């Protein structure tokens, strides 16, 4: 088979290169190590050498062409050899293309109305599809109804309560008379309802038909929708996008299932009263955020995490700072500790935890089980049509295509990174590909955000990941104690940390613990997307006084030229 010469990835963040000049012609013999062509990126010019001996059979990318990383530049082989088809978006076979509609209009079905599904539906409608969206519960999915949005209402209330209690330090004299839990719940419902009705309006504005019910595949072009009253309806489609989301995973811990005081994140958003004690199983994002909210509401919180550190995907050094802060507020945190069983007791629920080989028991009024989520694909009957999945997690290629080329899948149901913004990004890509474009998903600008106090956000590689991948890097750090705005806002708690590649000085990762970190991280995501270098960050003027100045100072610190703190 002919050898494919592909566009190399010359820096971690490089996405494409431009063919500057071919030094060999089609038909010419080339030797391993000989320079074939020159390519440029916005950073550098590089020579691409042949990795094999042979004849240059075909030049695919001409001078001036922009070629994505791994895109084919040319083929080398033996004279007269035929060339295999390039890989890419799978095409539908004539037999698969049997459906139902006129040539001009694509019938596109979206299964699930969360931030993945409703965004996919809108994008497909913008591109001219006739879109039907099936939702078994409420539009807005987990995010709007029982996830991101209601949690953030509780966290915002918690932050306001904490700030109000601390106003004395600023000379403001207010008395806090407690928390009206019913009003908090009403505010949460009002925000959620407003956003859900906003999505309903967007469906109408984009002429998307919403069908209430549970979809399951009948064949490759038909789903059966079962309504709440038991009636069924058949819907046919040319293209489909599965966006069925996820549900909380229930761990096989003895006593959890049958105990009404053991709740998942949905239950923990709507306790009838604020619990006096809360035991949290799982030190991931859900556990940490809800622990933060309830601690501020006056609950005594204990978190148990099986791994050596909380928030396994976040930067270790800043996670440790956050842990200390949470502990200083009175939250008990146990790591490398595993819950073995729970049982009902007179005073609440008894939780047995194995720590360093010993079993300790804890008593709590409520237990939050937050050990992850699993794909919600059971009802879809994926096997009936042969959609490939791994224990319910739908398998897709970078174009969000399943093994059946006209059926796409996005978001939590893939069982990978379960975040609303990833689902939405993948939804737009799936819709565009279903409507004839060819767009690949790339998660490198995906920010991770944890809504603690202070907030915690990161994008790109953590220091641990850079080490694991053997990437030569250096670090720039800036403590928020030296940032005027942060000092005013939260007493200067937190830090900005930049991870910079040694070779190209590109931004590999940025991690922020500090006030509004989840908003600040946008600049760094853009920087990584644009393959910015550390110089690009500090050459940009950052407004004063803002916390963003600390991002620039961390970039300066990475090159030993920080202004507002001593350098190494
Ligand atoms: P997670 O996967 O983030 O964390 C679960 C944690 O539980 C892990 O650290 C795991 O080691 C630990 N664990 C598992 N079994 C345990 C046991 N028996 N005893 C003690 N610890 C145990 O899952 P989480 O927090 O439930 O969140 C689910 C999904 O929702 C995640 O994908 C998360 O990214 C997403 N989410 C994102 C938010 C955000 O972006 N701000 C907010 C809330 C959820």
């Amino acid at each position: 088979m002919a050898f494919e010469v592909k566009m190399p990835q010359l820096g971690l963040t490089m996405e494409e290169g431009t063919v500057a000049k071919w030094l060999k012609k089609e038909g010419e013999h080339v030797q391993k190590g000989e320079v074939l062509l020159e390519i440029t990126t916005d950073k550098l010019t590089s020579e691409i050498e042949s990795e094999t001996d042979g004849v240059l059979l075909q030049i695919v990318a001409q001078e001036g062409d922009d070629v994505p990383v791994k895109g084919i530049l040319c083929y080398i082989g033996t004279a007269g050899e035929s060339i295999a088809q390039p890989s890419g978006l799978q095409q539908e076979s004539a037999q698969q293309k049997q459906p139902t509609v006129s040539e001009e209009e694509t019938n596109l079905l979206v299964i699930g109305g969360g931030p993945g599904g409703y965004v996919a539906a809108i994008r497909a409608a913008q591109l001219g599809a006739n879109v039907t969206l099936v939702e078994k519960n409420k539009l807005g999915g987990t995010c709007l109804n029982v996830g991101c949005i209601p949690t953030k209402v509780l966290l915002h209330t918690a932050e306001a309560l904490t700030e109000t209690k601390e106003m004395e330090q600023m000379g403001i004299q207010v008395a806090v008379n407690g928390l009206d839990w019913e009003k908090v719940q009403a505010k949460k419902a009002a925000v959620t309802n407003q956003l859900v009705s906003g999505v309903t309006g967007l469906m109408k504005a984009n002429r998307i038909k919403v069908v209430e019910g549970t979809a399951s595949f009948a064949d490759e072009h038909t789903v059966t929708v079962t309504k709440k009253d038991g009636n069924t309806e058949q819907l046919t489609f040319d293209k489909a996008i599965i966006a069925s989301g996820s549900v909380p995973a229930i761990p096989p811990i003895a006593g959890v299932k049958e105990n009404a005081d053991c709740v998942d994140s949905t239950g923990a958003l709507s306790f009838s009263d604020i619990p006096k004690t809360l035991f949290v199983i799982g030190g991931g994002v859900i556990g940490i955020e809800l622990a933060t909210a309830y601690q501020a509401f006056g609950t005594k919180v204990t978190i148990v995490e099986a791994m050596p550190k909380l928030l396994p995907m976040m930067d270790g050094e800043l996670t440790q700072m956050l842990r200390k802060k949470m502990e200083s507020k009175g939250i008990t945190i146990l790591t490398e500790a595993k819950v073995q069983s729970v049982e009902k007791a007179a005073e609440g629920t008894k939780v047995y935890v194995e720590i360093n080989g010993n079993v300790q028991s804890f008593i709590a009024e409520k237990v939050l089980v937050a050990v992850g989520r699993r794909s919600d694909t059971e009802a879809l009957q994926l096997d009936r049509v042969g959609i490939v999945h791994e224990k319910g997690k739908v398998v897709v290629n970078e174009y969000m295509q399943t093994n059946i080329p006209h059926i796409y899948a996005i978001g939590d149901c893939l069982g990978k990174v379960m975040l609303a913004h990833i689902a939405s990004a993948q939804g737009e890509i799936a819709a565009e590909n279903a409507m004839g474009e060819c767009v690949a998903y790339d998660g490198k600008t995906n920010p991770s955000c944890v809504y603690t106090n202070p907030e915690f956000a990161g994008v790109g590689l953590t220091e641990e990941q850079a080490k694991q991948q053997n990437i030569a890097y250096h670090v720039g750090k800036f403590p928020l104690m030296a940032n005027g705005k942060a000092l005013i806002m939260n007493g200067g708690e937190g830090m900005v940390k930049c991870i910079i590649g040694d070779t190209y000085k590109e931004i590999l990762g940025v991690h922020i613990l500090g006030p509004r970190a989840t908003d600040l991280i946008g600049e760094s995501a853009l920087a990584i997307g644009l393959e910015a270098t550390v110089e690009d960050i500090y050459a940009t003027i950052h407004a004063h006084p803002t916390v963003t100045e600390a991002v620039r100072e961390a970039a300066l610190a990475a090159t030993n030229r920080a202004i507002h703190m001593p350098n190494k």
Side-chain angles (χ1 to χ4, degrees):
M1 214 169 81
F3 184 83
E4 294 173 348
V5 178
K6 293 180 179 175
M7 178 64 76
Q9 186 160 28
L10 300 171
L12 194 81
T13 57
M14 175 178 161
E15 275 199 339
E16 63 174 23
T18 306
V19 176
K21 191 175 170 194
W22 279 99
L23 302 174
K24 290 280 172 186
K25 291 196 187 85
E26 282 182 6
E28 258 185 89
H29 197 273
V30 294
Q31 282 184 341
K32 189 174 173 182
E34 256 191 293
V35 178
L36 295 169
L37 72 158
E38 286 174 1
I39 59 148
T40 56
T41 65
D42 50 353
K43 305 270 174 293
L44 40 99
T45 301
S46 298
E47 294 179 335
I48 308 296
E49 294 174 358
S50 178
E51 292 174 40
T52 184
D53 294 338
V55 174
L56 204 172
L57 296 173
Q58 187 190 341
I59 289 178
V60 178
Q62 305 302 323
E63 289 179 7
D65 284 356
D66 295 328
V67 181
V69 166
K70 293 190 191 150
I72 295 170
L73 297 167
C74 68
Y75 291 97
I76 296 173
T78 45
E81 187 180 344
S82 68
I83 294 164
Q85 281 300 304
S87 52
L89 203 63
Q90 296 176 61
Q91 298 305 318
E92 294 166 55
S93 67
Q95 198 193 4
Q96 281 163 334
K97 256 189 190 164
Q98 3 148 307
T100 48
V101 280
S102 63
E103 279 302 303
E104 311 83 60
E105 208 169 42
T106 302
N107 263 356
L108 188 138
L109 179 80
V110 178
I111 302 172
Y118 83 71
V119 168
I122 292 171
R123 186 70 191 116
Q126 286 172 348
L127 294 170
N130 174 32
V131 184
T132 302
L133 185 149
V134 188
E135 169 55 57
K136 66 178 174 182
N137 206 340
K138 282 185 178 174
L139 283 177
T142 301
C143 169
L144 262 56
N145 294 290
V146 289
C148 321
I149 297 298
T151 314
K152 265 80 249 175
V153 174
L154 294 192
L155 282 158
H156 182 71
T157 310
E159 191 183 357
L161 181 64
T162 307
E163 276 185 4
T164 312
K165 285 180 178 167
E166 290 169 359
M167 276 183 181
E168 182 70 38
Q169 296 162 17
M170 288 190 266
I172 303 170
Q173 298 189 349
V174 283
V176 178
N177 295 323
L179 198 68
D180 183 337
W181 189 237
E182 258 180 47
K183 273 198 183 157
V184 175
Q185 290 292 323
K187 171 78 181 171
K188 176 166 75 76
V191 172
T192 294
N193 291 340
Q194 187 172 337
L195 289 170
V196 172
S197 68
V199 175
T200 310
L202 287 170
M203 296 296 100
K204 283 194 188 119
N206 286 283
R207 291 190 295 281
I208 294 161
K209 184 179 170 203
V210 177
V211 175
E212 286 179 19
T214 304
S216 60
F217 284 98
D219 63 42
E220 283 190 9
H221 283 283
T222 316
V223 291
T224 305
V225 179
T226 307
K227 310 285 175 73
K228 283 197 178 120
D229 60 10
N231 288 332
T232 58
E233 180 185 352
Q234 302 265 312
L235 297 174
T236 55
F237 57 86
D238 302 308
K239 312 266 172 133
I241 299 174
I242 303 170
S244 58
S246 63
V247 288
I250 306 295
I253 296 174
V256 162
K257 258 191 200 155
E258 45 284 313
N259 187 330
D261 289 328
C262 292
V263 297
D264 58 25
S265 53
T266 306
L269 291 169
S270 313
F271 286 135
S272 53
D273 287 305
I274 297 170
K276 290 196 174 47
T277 47
L278 177 68
F279 193 92
V280 180
I281 307 178
V285 195
I286 292 182
I288 296 293
E289 289 188 351
L290 287 168
T292 300
Y294 281 101
Q295 183 280 324
F297 297 152
T299 304
K300 176 77 190 101
V301 181
T302 302
I303 303 172
V304 167
E305 166 57 49
M307 303 296 283
K309 84 182 260 298
L310 302 174
L311 300 170
M313 75 297 183
M314 302 296 282
D315 182 87
E317 186 181 6
L318 298 192
T319 304
Q320 187 57 21
M321 287 174 78
L322 176 65
R323 176 179 179 158
K324 281 201 177 134
K325 173 74 185 166
M326 292 176 76
E327 286 173 332
S328 75
K329 287 184 175 174
I331 298 177
T332 303
I333 298 173
L334 306 166
T335 41
E336 290 185 270
K338 240 186 146 186
V339 175
Q340 289 197 325
S341 61
V342 299
E343 68 183 26
K344 261 300 209 206
E347 328 85 286
T349 291
K350 216 169 196 181
V351 186
Y352 293 93
V353 185
E354 192 192 315
I355 310 164
N356 294 328
N358 300 316
V359 177
Q360 279 184 35
S361 70
F362 297 80
I363 200 95
E365 189 183 327
K366 297 284 179 193
V367 177
L368 164 62
V369 182
V371 297
R373 297 179 63 89
R374 63 175 175 81
S375 330
D376 188 5
T377 52
E378 267 163 36
L380 292 172
Q381 303 279 2
L382 298 171
D383 293 330
R384 194 179 281 158
V385 283
I387 295 173
V388 172
H389 63 96
E390 287 163 2
K391 293 187 182 153
K393 302 173 192 172
V394 186
V395 176
V396 292
N397 62 17
E398 62 198 310
Y399 306 99
M400 314 318 300
Q401 241 174 344
T402 69
N403 59 307
I404 298 180
H406 64 277
I407 301 180
Y408 297 75
I410 58 167
D412 283 17
C413 73
L414 307 180
K416 290 193 170 153
V417 191
M418 296 189 180
L419 294 170
H421 46 271
I422 291 197
S424 299
Q426 294 177 339
E428 288 183 36
I429 287 169
E432 286 165 9
N433 289 338
M435 295 304 290
E437 296 180 22
C438 182
V439 190
Y441 169 72
D442 177 352
K444 77 172 185 289
T445 61
N446 163 44
S448 298
C449 298
V450 193
Y451 295 78
T452 39
N453 187 4
E455 290 184 347
F456 189 9
V459 63
L461 297 183
T462 60
E463 198 172 351
E464 291 82 354
Q465 288 165 337
K467 270 192 194 126
Q468 272 163 15
Q469 295 174 28
N470 284 326
I471 294 169
Y473 72 93
H474 55 286
V475 171
K477 295 180 200 173
F478 191 76
L480 293 188
M481 193 59 83
N483 173 271
K485 188 71 183 290
L487 197 60
I488 296 164
M489 288 173 80
N490 81 342
E493 270 175 323
M495 185 191 271
V496 178
K497 182 170 170 183
C498 292
I499 319 286
I500 311 295
D502 280 352
T503 315
Y504 302 111
K505 309 278 177 275
E506 78 275 34
I507 311 289
L508 296 174
V510 177
H511 307 277
I512 307 174
L513 182 70
R516 299 288 173 261
T518 61
D519 296 316
L520 297 181
I521 202 68
E523 171 191 358
S524 305
L526 182 67
I528 289 178
L530 294 176
E531 300 174 25
T533 62
V534 69
E535 287 93 347
D536 294 325
I537 299 292
Y538 62 65
T540 304
I541 299 173
H542 288 62
H544 175 77
T546 61
V547 188
T548 63
E549 289 173 283
V551 176
R552 179 170 181 272
E553 285 278 1
L556 286 170
T559 41
N560 276 327
R561 43 169 291 191
I563 303 290
H564 291 93
M565 67 167 196
N567 290 290
K568 277 178 241 160

